[in-house]
Amino acid sequence: MKLRRIHMQRLAVLLASISWIFLLGIAMIEQYRFSHLNIMEEYVPIAIEGALLNSFIIFTYIFLWLQSRKNESQPFHNLIWKVFLTGMVCTLFSGVLSLAASLIGINGDTQKLVNIFTFRVDFGLLTIFLLTTFNTWKRMILYEKTRYAVIVWFLFEIALFSTLTSHFFQLTESESILINVSRAAFFIIIMLLSVNLKWVPHLVFNQKITSVFQLLVSLFCLAYFFANIISYYDDPTLQIEDYSENIFYSVLSIFIIVYGISSLLVILFNLPTSSVFEKKLKELSIFQELSSEITEGKNDNQIYKMLLESAGSSVSADACWLEVHQQDVFLYKDITKEDTALIKKEIYQAGYNEKKLKIITKRRLLPFQTKSQYNSILAVPLISGDEYLGIMVLLKKLTNAFDNTMISMVNTFSAQAGIAIQNFKLISQVVESERYKNELEIAKAVQERLLPEKLQVNGTFEFFAKSKPATEVGGDYYDLHRLSEHEYVVIIADVAGKGISAAFNMAQMKGIFQGLVRLNLNPDEFLIKANAALTSCLEKSAFITASYFHINTETFKIRYARAGHCPTLFYRDAKDKVEYLETDGLGLGIIRNESYKNYVSINEISYQKNDIMMLYTDGIVEAQNTETKEIYGFERLHEYFENNHDKSIENIGNTLISNLNIFTNAGNINDDFTILLIKF
């Protein structure tokens, strides 16, 4: 496929180059006839010249379109950089060519032919620049595309390229009036498209500054070409076609300019909010890092140090300290221990009661002081449930330095920090306790009872399932439910993480499945309602991936929907081929509002006898070799299924698990895994 695209690109470049060369030749001949023979009639019919011009435009666009498909996931600032770079290269080339032409020092008819050559080069470079920018603007406009945006763009693109037909004939005065009306209609569509700027907020502050500069330079390059080409039209000795009234180039240029200016203005207006957006992203990364540190089993001092540094940097504190009484932890930054004792006494005298956040602001004539005293103090209790764990104090030398946004953010952070500290303490205690092992054994037995031991089917398909947690308990879940004589529902789910919390969320998922499955919902409706149910009971940092299948053994149809789960493998006996069933879908609990329905879709396939469906959790594909750190991956799983589909499903499943244990080089898979096979 890649080789085929390269060949198509080369062919497009070749045909575009040939078209341009013929256009240049025609222009040279007509200039010669005008200069030497004083003949103003066109040497070549306008239809042929129009066909060559259209050929140059179309093949140039095809080349640029094929080139852009190689990097469809490019970030937006790279796309703007591409426009900037193309504009700079084209402008520099044009400038160097014009300078060289002026230094040659020739006059007369030869100079006119040189001018014709430079005009055609400039016109070709302008076309390349315009089409490159057009293709880039298209990708930006259709980011997070809506039905409305797609329809408007489709109409605009079809209408724009249909104007190429005007190159085949000479326009009359009455037709010129119609063209002006068309330009007005195009301008309205361009204005509608120019409001599609959803990509702008995804640029960070530095990227926005860079993009502003690049857009300004790109617009300058466009202005240079327009001025340069107009200068040729002002020369009465040159026999060249005036493209200033060309509807295709005028509409294309207006679109490039309007969307470029709209992007420039919106980026400028968004600059003041960029720092806030980046700060929020930083806060989210802090929470993610905190969870990662706890999961990886870092010692308590490392956890507390990260909490203190994160809180201090988030409000730009001049000094701060953290105390956790039960664990005798005392950390401080940019302050002495003696000063903390004095300030702590002042905090308690001001009415701090270890239950809610306390703000102390000292009134000063000036909002700042040159001395070292702190004029704003924020005392934040660390609480988990009803238990008081300790205190975190943030200090600033400015007066009234903590505004409502900071206070709200720190309050939220302290609540999360309290939970993190308590969780770390509980984990440490449980790991050291022998009782924990006994409780885990009980939890393991309970969880095993949550998974079906025997799955009854009506003989129209075979069913095999095997699941094993990485520790005593895990977060994988599967189930099968019979709706009627010919209808079955199959679900497989994977809770993010592993261990006790994952097992608890897995139990919640089973309860939701058992509660909703009897409603006989469509697969997408089931996931939407499951997401709504999990919103109230799932922790903020948790989510669940799932795949839901509705099998009808009478119609031989399968309807399914996916919520971010691993794509299902499906073997079709008629084609003797294994393929992945991929569809859109987002994990349950990631988006906790009604907009979740926009991220779920339903699909339907038919099956025949001897077709096999393989469902699994990410513990299979993410199994890692302990020495090389290489993961098993989707390709190996696809290849294994392709080579072993002729065996019994019990053999397929058990052999796969054995192969995974050998692959990991550890004798066992270090993550929760589930394998589920259905043979029709």
Side-chain angles (χ1 to χ4, degrees), residues 1 10 26 82 113 117 134 142 151 168-169 174 189 311-312 322 370 430 455 501 506 548 559 569 577 615 632 656 669:
M1 187 67 182
R10 290 175 178 173
I26 291 171
K82 182 180 179 181
L113 292 176
F117 174 76
F134 173 82
L142 296 182
I151 291 174
F168 294 114
F169 51 84
S174 60
I189 297 176
L322 171 70
T370 56
V430 170
L455 301 169
S501 62
M506 175 268 208
Y548 188 91
R559 289 179 297 146
L569 277 167
K577 181 180 179 182
L615 285 66
Y632 191 78
L656 173 61
I669 306 170

Side-chain angles (χ1 to χ4, degrees), residues 483 510-521 525-531 533 548:
L483 295 171
K510 179 179 177 67
I512 290 171
F513 172 77
Q514 294 294 335
L516 293 176
V517 71
R518 291 171 176 80
L519 300 177
N520 197 9
L521 302 168
E525 293 174 340
F526 172 88
L527 294 179
I528 292 168
K529 289 187 179 297
N531 185 72
Y548 188 91

Side-chain angles (χ1 to χ4, degrees), residues 44-68:
V44 177
I46 190 171
I48 296 178
E49 191 171 351
L52 290 171
L53 176 60
N54 288 349
S55 175
F56 173 66
I57 293 171
I58 291 170
F59 287 118
T60 301
Y61 180 73
I62 290 173
F63 167 76
L64 295 171
W65 176 71
L66 290 171
Q67 191 179 49
S68 68

Side-chain angles (χ1 to χ4, degrees), residues 72-258:
E72 289 185 343
S73 59
Q74 270 191 331
F76 299 112
H77 62 278
N78 283 358
L79 293 176
I80 298 175
W81 162 257
K82 182 180 179 181
V83 172
F84 164 78
L85 186 62
T86 304
M88 286 296 296
V89 170
C90 291
T91 303
L92 288 173
F93 188 86
S94 171
V96 170
L97 185 65
S98 298
L99 180 63
S102 64
L103 294 176
I104 292 176
I106 55 177
N107 295 306
D109 294 336
T110 305
Q111 180 63 47
K112 295 174 184 176
L113 292 176
V114 170
N115 289 341
I116 290 294
F117 174 76
T118 57
F119 167 77
R120 278 296 171 187
V121 170
D122 283 346
F123 186 74
L125 291 173
L126 174 61
T127 303
I128 293 171
F129 183 34
L130 288 174
L131 292 175
T132 300
T133 311
F134 173 82
N135 195 49
T136 302
W137 282 186
K138 174 182 178 179
R139 289 183 60 183
M140 292 178 166
I141 287 171
L142 296 182
Y143 174 70
E144 292 186 359
K145 52 190 171 185
T146 61
R147 180 179 175 84
Y148 168 78
V150 171
I151 291 174
V152 174
W153 176 263
F154 177 78
L155 294 174
F156 172 70
E157 193 169 26
I158 293 297
L160 176 64
F161 281 96
S162 67
T163 61
L164 294 176
T165 57
S166 64
H167 297 163
F168 294 114
F169 51 84
Q170 191 73 38
L171 298 176
T172 63
E173 186 175 347
S174 60
E175 290 171 335
S176 299
I177 297 173
L178 182 61
I179 287 174
N180 290 330
V181 174
S182 300
R183 284 199 185 104
F186 271 115
F187 184 76
I188 293 172
I189 297 176
I190 289 169
M191 294 305 295
L192 293 175
L193 290 172
S194 296
V195 301
N196 290 276
L197 296 157
K198 295 180 181 179
W199 53 271
V200 173
H202 293 272
L203 301 178
V204 298
F205 183 80
N206 290 338
Q207 291 171 348
K208 287 179 180 177
I209 292 293
T210 305
S211 298
V212 166
F213 169 75
Q214 291 171 351
L215 285 169
L216 284 172
V217 173
S218 300
L219 291 172
F220 170 79
C221 293
L222 200 58
Y224 162 81
F225 274 110
F226 290 154
N228 208 25
I229 288 175
I230 289 173
S231 67
Y232 290 102
Y233 298 150
D234 294 337
D235 188 347
T237 64
L238 297 180
Q239 180 71 3
I240 57 176
E241 184 176 351
D242 187 354
Y243 289 103
S244 61
E245 297 297 323
N246 185 288
I247 185 170
F248 175 80
Y249 279 97
S250 61
V251 170
L252 182 59
S253 301
I254 291 171
F255 169 66
I256 300 300
I257 294 169
V258 170

Side-chain angles (χ1 to χ4, degrees), residues 618-648:
D618 59 10
I620 298 289
V621 291
E622 292 178 4
Q624 189 178 61
N625 185 287
T626 54
E627 293 181 359
T628 65
K629 305 302 180 184
E630 186 180 14
I631 63 171
Y632 191 78
F634 291 97
E635 292 184 4
R636 280 193 180 91
L637 183 62
H638 184 282
E639 183 179 356
Y640 170 84
F641 194 29
E642 210 166 35
N643 295 333
N644 294 274
H645 62 78
D646 55 339
K647 300 177 182 176
S648 69

